[in-house]
Each structure stands twice: as C-alpha cells, then as structure tokens.
Amino acid sequence: MKSFLRYENVYFRNIFSLFLLYTILYADYYFAPPNAAKEKVNFVQETLGVVFIYLLVFLNNYFLIRSYLLHKKLNIFLKYEIIYFFFTSFLFYHVLNYIDESSFISAAISVFIFLVVGIGFYFFHIWFLDNVIQTKKQLSQRDLELTFLKQQLNPHFLLNAMNNLYGISLSNPTMISDKILELSDLLRYQIEAVKSDEIAIENEIEFAQKYLNYMAFKSSNLKIQNKILGTIKPFMVPPLLFLPLIENASKFALQTTNPFINLCWNFEDDFVSFLIENNFSLDTNGKGTQIGISNLKRRLEILENQTELTIQSDKAFKVTLKLWPKNIDV
C-alpha cells in the first residue's frame, strides 16, 4: 500500500487528479451563489463530462504520447493522433449534445484545446518526475557510498583476508602473490563501483565469479557453479546489487562439510533473473541476522527498480531476484 501512494505510481496519480477535479466541481456547485445554482441533474451531467475529458486526455498521453512521440516515432504519432482527434471530437459532440446543444466544430475546438493543454501538463509531469527520481537516486547513491565507507572502516573483512593469506603463506607460499592480487582486485572494484549510479551487469557477473573464486580457497570442497542462460544483455544495474546474496551464500555454505553454491543468470528480452542456491548447516537452518536481505530490499525500494525477490529455504537456501531495466512509468 505504501508503494501505491506515491506520485510515481501512474494509477494513484491519475485517481488523485480525477478526485481533485471532482472535488472542485462539487465545491463549485454547492458553494455557488443561489442565483447561479445548478440543478442536480446538470451537476451529474457535468461530472460525466469532466470524467470524459480526463479520460480523453489520459488515453492520448498514455498510449500515443508515451508510446510514439516520446520514442520519436513522429510519423506514426501524427497518423494516430489525427484519427484519435476526429474520433474523440465525434464522441465529445454527442456528449455535449447530451448536456446541451452544441455544434461539431465547437466540440472539435474544445477537444483540440483539451489535448494541447493535456500534452503540456504531461511534459511538465515528465520533467517533474525525472527531477524527483534523479534526486532520490542521488540521495540513495550518497547513502550507498556512506555505507560502503563505513564498511571499509570496519577491518573485519580485511582481518579475515589477512588471516587466510597468512595460512596460505605457511601451507602453500607459492599462492600468496596470486591471492593478494585477487583481494586487491576485489577491493578496487568495490571502491570504483559505488562511484556510479549504475554499472553494466556483465561487470557484476565477472565480479561475482572472482569473489567466489577468492572465497573458494577457504574450503577445498566448495563446489561453485556459475551458469549464464541466454545472451548477456547490455543491462545497467545498481552497483554491487548481488553482493549481499553472494556473501550470505558463501557464509552459510562454508559452514557445511560439503559446501556448494550455484548461480544462474537467465537473460530474457527485457529482464534478467538471478538465482543463487547454497546449502547450510542444520544448526543455523540458513538463518542469520537477515541484515543483508533487509538492506537489499530497502535498497531496491529506494532505487525504484521493478523487481521480484523470492526466498526459499528447504533442503537448500534459494534466492531468486528478477530485475527489469529501468522503466519509468510516465
């Protein structure tokens, strides 16, 4: 319900606007001077007229402007716009005749004015919505950078990495240089990634594989499977979006005797589905602090991404995240 009551939601926005128009019309009728009062039947007729005009403008903006003009399909837009103009003029002519006698020319002129004014408000709405979303993204990006900087101040990850490197230096010193380079590469990617609002999903997939390869040296039994179904699309996603899920999978899988982590990236025409699966110890039952999952949900909500997140915990812990490219519903 909370996500519905937002200006960005096309349904809430238009329902609220129509309600506001109806309220103004209602107030005008009941608070008008006595000599200007209208019969109730006329009020009902005028209300139907306002609803008709609003739907006329809404359908024009939502289907013709949004689908063709904004995508620079000018020829198609003009063709359908002319057809729509004459069709709605004919309908509005009959609506006006139902309320009061009117000519077709006056109805056509009224329709033309409504469409022009409606298009003007629509482009103002697009400008306003774009500024709102950009402001939210900037605030979210600052929060993300602040969170990451705080995480850097916490030496937990680096201390674990140093301890692991120390163990490798004793057991297999020839690997130490490679592991130092791997760790440096992971930290460099994280520092650079948070400087951008979005990053290519191909880079995120590569980072996920490097991260799991680095974690694999903790357990010689860890089995990692990273599958890609379909062709990788040039999707742009928020940076380090999948990292909390991968960190959780690594944490719980490595607590078992035969750990495994399976990743699957399924690319469709307009979305990507990310599945990550890992086993867990019966003692933990796959339950941790849930901070990583909670932070991920909150981040997706702030970033206005269209997503579907499902979590299953049976014999293995499965998380599926469907992510659509940014599509502002204007």
Side-chain angles (χ1 to χ4, degrees), residues 250-269:
S250 302
K251 173 184 176 181
F252 289 108
L254 290 174
Q255 295 175 6
T256 65
T257 54
N258 296 303
F260 71 85
I261 302 174
N262 298 328
L263 288 79
C264 182
W265 313 77
N266 186 12
F267 285 89
E268 300 292 343
D269 290 337

Side-chain angles (χ1 to χ4, degrees), residues 37-314:
K38 304 174 182 179
E39 297 179 359
K40 289 187 178 181
V41 63
N42 291 334
F43 172 74
V44 173
Q45 291 171 344
E46 289 182 3
T47 300
L48 293 176
V50 170
V51 173
F52 177 86
I53 293 169
Y54 191 90
L55 290 176
L56 182 154
V57 174
F58 171 78
L59 293 174
N60 182 71
N61 290 342
Y62 192 80
F63 291 102
L64 298 184
I65 304 297
R66 182 172 179 264
S67 300
Y68 300 108
L69 186 58
L70 293 183
H71 289 82
K72 299 181 179 179
K73 299 177 181 179
L74 187 59
N75 293 333
I76 300 177
F77 166 74
L78 290 175
K79 179 177 67 174
Y80 285 125
E81 186 70 17
I82 292 173
I83 295 173
Y84 186 76
F85 169 75
F86 282 105
F87 177 74
T88 52
S89 296
F90 177 79
L91 290 179
F92 193 60
Y93 167 70
H94 287 282
V95 172
L96 289 178
N97 279 335
Y98 175 73
I99 299 174
D100 196 0
E101 292 185 3
S102 179
S103 65
F104 178 82
I105 294 178
S106 62
I109 293 174
S110 298
V111 168
F112 178 79
I113 294 174
F114 295 147
L115 291 179
V116 171
V117 173
I119 291 173
F121 274 106
Y122 187 71
F123 278 99
F124 173 80
H125 147 72
I126 293 175
W127 172 83
F128 178 80
L129 183 60
D130 183 67
N131 278 272
V132 169
I133 291 177
Q134 288 301 321
T135 300
K136 284 188 176 182
K137 289 179 68 175
Q138 290 174 3
L139 292 174
S140 175
Q141 185 62 28
R142 291 174 184 174
D143 290 341
L144 178 61
E145 288 193 62
L146 180 60
T147 301
F148 184 69
L149 289 173
K150 288 180 179 179
Q151 290 174 347
Q152 290 186 71
L153 294 176
N154 184 353
H156 185 264
F157 175 76
L158 285 176
L159 285 175
N160 284 339
M162 293 299 105
N163 289 332
N164 290 323
L165 291 175
Y166 176 74
I168 293 175
S169 67
L170 296 177
S171 60
N172 196 345
T174 57
M175 292 180 58
I176 192 67
S177 59
D178 293 335
K179 291 303 174 184
I180 291 176
L181 288 177
E182 288 181 22
L183 176 60
S184 175
D185 194 27
L186 291 174
L187 293 175
R188 184 183 301 109
Y189 178 86
Q190 294 181 63
I191 292 172
E192 294 299 323
V194 295
K195 295 180 181 179
S196 304
D197 291 338
E198 295 179 323
I199 196 165
I201 194 171
E202 185 175 6
N203 294 340
E204 289 287 286
I205 295 175
E206 182 180 356
F207 171 75
Q209 185 63 57
K210 289 181 178 179
Y211 181 89
L212 290 173
N213 289 341
Y214 180 81
M215 300 301 295
F217 75 84
K218 289 186 176 182
S219 173
S220 59
N221 297 328
L222 178 60
K223 295 181 180 179
I224 300 173
Q225 187 179 63
N226 192 6
K227 296 192 301 183
I228 299 176
L229 303 179
T231 304
I232 297 179
K233 306 291 183 179
F235 292 158
M236 301 297 290
V237 297
L240 306 176
L241 184 67
F242 308 97
L243 181 58
L245 301 177
I246 297 171
E247 285 179 330
N248 280 351
S250 302
K251 173 184 176 181
F252 289 108
L254 290 174
Q255 295 175 6
T256 65
T257 54
N258 296 303
F260 71 85
I261 302 174
N262 298 328
L263 288 79
C264 182
W265 313 77
N266 186 12
F267 285 89
E268 300 292 343
D269 290 337
D270 59 347
F271 76 92
V272 58
S273 177
F274 172 68
L275 169 67
I276 184 166
E277 178 183 18
N278 63 275
N279 59 340
F280 54 84
S281 171
L282 295 177
D283 295 333
T284 63
N285 196 28
K287 295 181 180 179
T289 62
Q290 297 292 316
I291 293 177
I293 298 294
S294 298
N295 288 344
L296 175 61
K297 290 179 179 178
R298 175 57 182 161
R299 187 180 174 200
L300 291 174
E301 181 181 350
I302 293 175
L303 293 175
E304 304 285 338
N305 286 88
Q306 183 184 356
T307 61
E308 290 181 8
L309 183 67
T310 57
I311 301 173
Q312 297 175 305
S313 179
D314 189 8

